[in-house]
Amino acid sequence: MTTTTASQTRREVLPWSALLALGTAVFITSLTETLPAGVLPQMTSSLGVSSGAAGQAVTMYAAGTALTAIPLAAATAGIRRKPLLLGATTVFLIANTLTAAAPGYAVLLIARFLAGVAAGLAWAILAGYARRIAPPGQEGRAIAIAMTGIPLALSLGVPAGTLIGQQIGWRASFAAVSVITLAVIGWITFSVPAVSRSTTTTEEPKPTTRQTLRVPGVTAVMVVVVTFVLGHTIIYAYIAPYLRHAGLATAVDAILLAFGVACLVSIWCTGLHIDRYLRGLALTAATLFTLATAAFAATTAQAVVWVAAVAWGLGWGGTPTLLQTAAGHAGMRRSPAVADTAQAILVTLWNAAMALGGIIGGILLQRVNITADAIAAAALGVVSLLVITLTRKHAFATADQDAP
């Protein structure tokens, strides 16, 4: 009896080292996507191109991910997950190193596209991997730990990379990410357990995108992915101009730090409660984001802006985990293969929304004003909130429920 109890206890313990390794993989891919924004002046000067041209380094990365995540996930569905994750991370290492050593602009863009391809495949694997190595009933918490890399990349990684770029050079920033990636490859090799391939049996057909979207709840989750990420990107990409408009030009770093700390608090709360209160957390996140961006649109009072930035962080920090978990839960009601395809669709739509958010935000800023960005973000937040509220039967329900 004692032996059985001890065995059960061991099974209930989260595999922290493995999950932190996966979380660090999420961190480096998220950091690499947004790092050019922090070192754009240095890249522009070094490569002899305009700021707009250098900014395409972000677009090429997002394009690589958005264009290939779904077909690569389908093509690799029969491959065991650990070798596939290690392979994707190794390609990411090569591409990032090539970025650091790029002799010219064309090579830089090719390297960024390749990095985006590798990151897209890794992202399509990571959430499902965390789910599979978690004890029963703690899948959401495991995904939350793995997804902590996203707010850490935004709140700590990009400022650190920017500092390195300013002090040493932009190439050193990417080289530092390559060093971390090399360490992550070793960490995954020795700490992350092997799991089965995507499909449960060799006879199970690989679900198509259309078939996956027909599974109850999946489409609703994807609509929220597009609207929430699009709204977030529209305001985040142009937060510096907004803060200058609000008379807070000298406080940009401090406000982004407050936003980052709030994101970490959100991740912690999400990890504690996601397995029981997925829908409630999703509603809270959408509500906080909508109220925060509406406040940005309504006033530039500095005290309000500070509070709104913190509320935004509290709403956004846990959102990647909530959306990944919701997509996985909806897909798992049909099969693990459907859940994996749903994750690939999510990665594609996420990056497409990020790319589109930067474009829309820039157009609104140039042709209207910065307040238009905040209004658009708030409107998209309302749409996200409505979808979560109205799709009660299958979307944003816990893993063992059809409804909350």
Side-chain angles (χ1 to χ4, degrees):
M1 182 67 69
T2 303
T3 302
T4 301
T5 302
S7 176
Q8 291 174 341
T9 300
R10 283 193 296 271
R11 286 198 300 268
E12 292 173 357
V13 175
L14 285 167
W16 280 96
S17 181
L19 291 173
L20 290 174
L22 298 180
T24 308
V26 171
F27 171 83
I28 58 175
T29 53
S30 299
L31 170 59
T32 302
E33 181 167 27
T34 54
L35 183 56
V39 295
L40 202 62
Q42 292 81 14
M43 293 178 69
T44 299
S45 175
S46 172
L47 296 170
V49 296
S50 67
S51 296
Q56 297 310 304
V58 176
T59 303
M60 290 299 288
Y61 187 102
T65 299
L67 292 174
T68 63
I70 292 176
L72 278 180
T76 58
I79 300 176
R80 296 186 66 85
R81 301 291 92 181
K82 185 171 181 177
L84 185 60
L85 178 58
L86 286 171
T89 310
T90 300
V91 174
F92 183 80
L93 169 64
I94 295 169
N96 217 35
T97 303
L98 181 59
T99 300
Y105 181 64
V107 175
L108 173 75
L109 293 184
I110 293 171
R112 290 289 294 175
F113 184 86
L114 181 60
V117 171
L121 179 56
W123 264 74
I125 298 169
L126 286 164
Y129 213 130
R131 170 191 297 277
R132 293 183 188 191
I133 64 176
Q138 298 192 59
E139 293 88 353
R141 185 172 297 180
I143 295 174
I145 295 169
M147 292 299 108
T148 304
I150 296 175
L152 282 176
L154 291 175
S155 60
L156 301 178
V158 173
T162 302
L163 180 62
I164 293 174
Q166 292 173 342
Q167 299 299 320
I168 304 176
W170 68 270
R171 297 180 187 275
S173 299
F174 286 96
V177 177
S178 291
V179 172
I180 298 173
T181 305
L182 187 61
V184 169
I185 291 173
W187 194 355
I188 292 173
T189 299
F190 292 106
S191 295
V192 177
V195 297
S196 63
R197 55 179 178 251
S198 174
T199 52
T200 54
T201 68
T202 56
E203 292 79 17
E204 182 182 353
K206 300 171 185 176
T208 64
T209 298
R210 182 176 297 180
Q211 290 170 337
T212 301
L213 291 174
R214 287 176 179 171
V215 173
V218 172
T219 296
V221 173
M222 298 308 163
V223 171
V224 176
V225 169
V226 172
T227 54
F228 210 142
V229 176
L230 184 60
H232 166 78
T233 306
I234 285 174
I235 191 65
Y236 184 82
Y238 300 98
I239 190 62
Y242 174 83
L243 293 176
R244 286 198 298 270
H245 173 68
L248 290 165
T250 59
V252 173
D253 292 345
I255 290 176
L256 288 180
L257 178 60
F259 168 81
V261 171
C263 282
L264 295 179
V265 172
S266 177
I267 278 281
W268 178 72
C269 292
T270 299
L272 286 179
H273 302 294
I274 189 171
D275 290 308
R276 295 183 61 192
Y277 303 111
L278 175 59
R279 176 179 294 279
L281 289 169
L283 287 170
T284 300
T287 300
L288 286 171
F289 175 78
T290 302
L291 291 175
T293 49
F296 286 152
T299 181
T300 56
Q302 295 186 359
V304 175
V305 171
W306 274 96
V307 173
V310 172
W312 176 21
L314 291 173
W316 174 254
T319 295
T321 300
L322 294 169
L323 296 176
Q324 293 267 8
T325 303
H329 284 356
M332 282 297 290
R333 293 194 183 92
R334 184 64 55 85
S335 74
V338 171
D340 284 345
T341 302
Q343 296 294 345
I345 295 171
L346 185 148
V347 170
T348 297
L349 293 178
W350 185 290
N351 283 274
M354 287 189 66
L356 188 60
I359 294 171
I360 293 175
I363 292 173
L364 290 174
L365 176 61
Q366 293 178 354
R367 297 189 178 183
V368 189
N369 53 45
I370 190 61
T371 303
D373 281 15
I375 294 172
L380 288 163
V382 170
V383 175
S384 299
L385 185 58
L386 287 174
V387 173
I388 297 169
T389 302
L390 296 175
T391 55
R392 297 183 59 84
K393 189 173 183 181
H394 298 291
F396 297 94
T398 54
D400 57 351
Q401 293 176 316
D402 281 337

